[in-house]
Amino acid sequence: MMLDYAQLETLATILRLGSFEAAAAELGVTQSAVSQRIRVLEDRVGQPLIRRGPPCTGTELGLRLAHHAEEVALMERGLDPALVGAATPRRVRIAVNADSLAAWIVPALAAARAALPGLLFEAVVDDQDHSADWLRRGEVTAAVTATAQPPAGCDSHPLGALRYLATCSPAFLAEGRGTEGAPALRRMAMMTFDRKDRLQLRWLDREAGPGPAPPTHLLPSTQAFIDGALAGLGWGMNPEPLIRSHLAEGRLVELLPGRPLDVPLFWQVSRRMAPVVAPLTRAVRDAARAALH
């Protein structure tokens, strides 16, 4: 099926900005022209591509087509910037876990943008055990993932391991010890990022053996995990690079000293896009060497 790239660009712009009106303003056309392009494209593929908002969001196929349009634009610029104008921004969509986004990958994005002026990033945040699914569905160009085996048509680069420490406030640990002297790990309140997050349970099963899950707070924020531990809300697996100063100054302590959990990470990238985003891959690998174990 031959696709009209003006229609695909319109789709991508709507999904990025969240409305037909905003897309029309950015593209310099009328809102009725935007609606007509999407109507023709949806008729052509035979199914809806946009869930009308606000904000407008994409169906599974809509997201894939929008990402395809962005990749084509990026490849055009990589072929010859003069074809599209060096000032025309191009976007790379990546999937990354929240802790990597907070702990180490942002300097890599900055370095890649210095090598590719005008490059823009869209980070999709998902658990490292699930981020490769975005690449498998064709919705991102690259992903930071805990999966060694890449999806079909992708390359995988080992990055090292992000070290996590089971940490809490000194007062919380003292309360959890009770009269037993050792932490009552299965009874101490725990923090979990979201329903996909298994890090705490992996560490707990390794250190305490199988058993019931502790009472759990759901806090979908890397910073909230640290703040929650500092405030005595519960314990959680915090990325070691983000809590070094808190440990050094005694504001946080390990539940079991010297028992980290190292999570191996991989950079997986679409093979057809690899030459275009090679500066990004180099920057990510350099940053990982500096930050990861």
Side-chain angles (χ1 to χ4, degrees), residues 10-11 14 18-40 50 52-54 56:
T10 301
L11 171 65
I14 292 169
S19 76
F20 283 62
E21 182 181 9
E26 178 163 309
L27 296 170
V29 298
T30 64
Q31 191 169 338
S32 62
V34 167
S35 298
Q36 175 67 13
R37 290 178 186 179
I38 297 303
R39 185 162 52 250
V40 171
I50 295 175
R52 272 60 174 177
C56 291

Side-chain angles (χ1 to χ4, degrees), residues 255-287:
L255 265 69
L256 298 178
R259 303 297 294 170
L261 178 66
D262 289 344
V263 177
L265 297 176
F266 302 84
W267 176 250
Q268 297 183 349
V269 61
S270 164
R271 197 168 293 142
R272 73 184 180 118
M273 294 299 296
V276 182
V277 298
L280 173 60
T281 295
R282 285 195 297 272
V284 167
R285 298 183 75 179
D286 288 346

Side-chain angles (χ1 to χ4, degrees), residues 8 18 34 38 58 78 84 97 144 174 185 189 193 221 227 237 241 250 267:
L8 291 179
V34 167
I38 297 303
V84 293
N97 58 308
V144 175
L185 296 177
F193 189 89
S221 160
D227 292 343
M237 304 304 296
W267 176 250

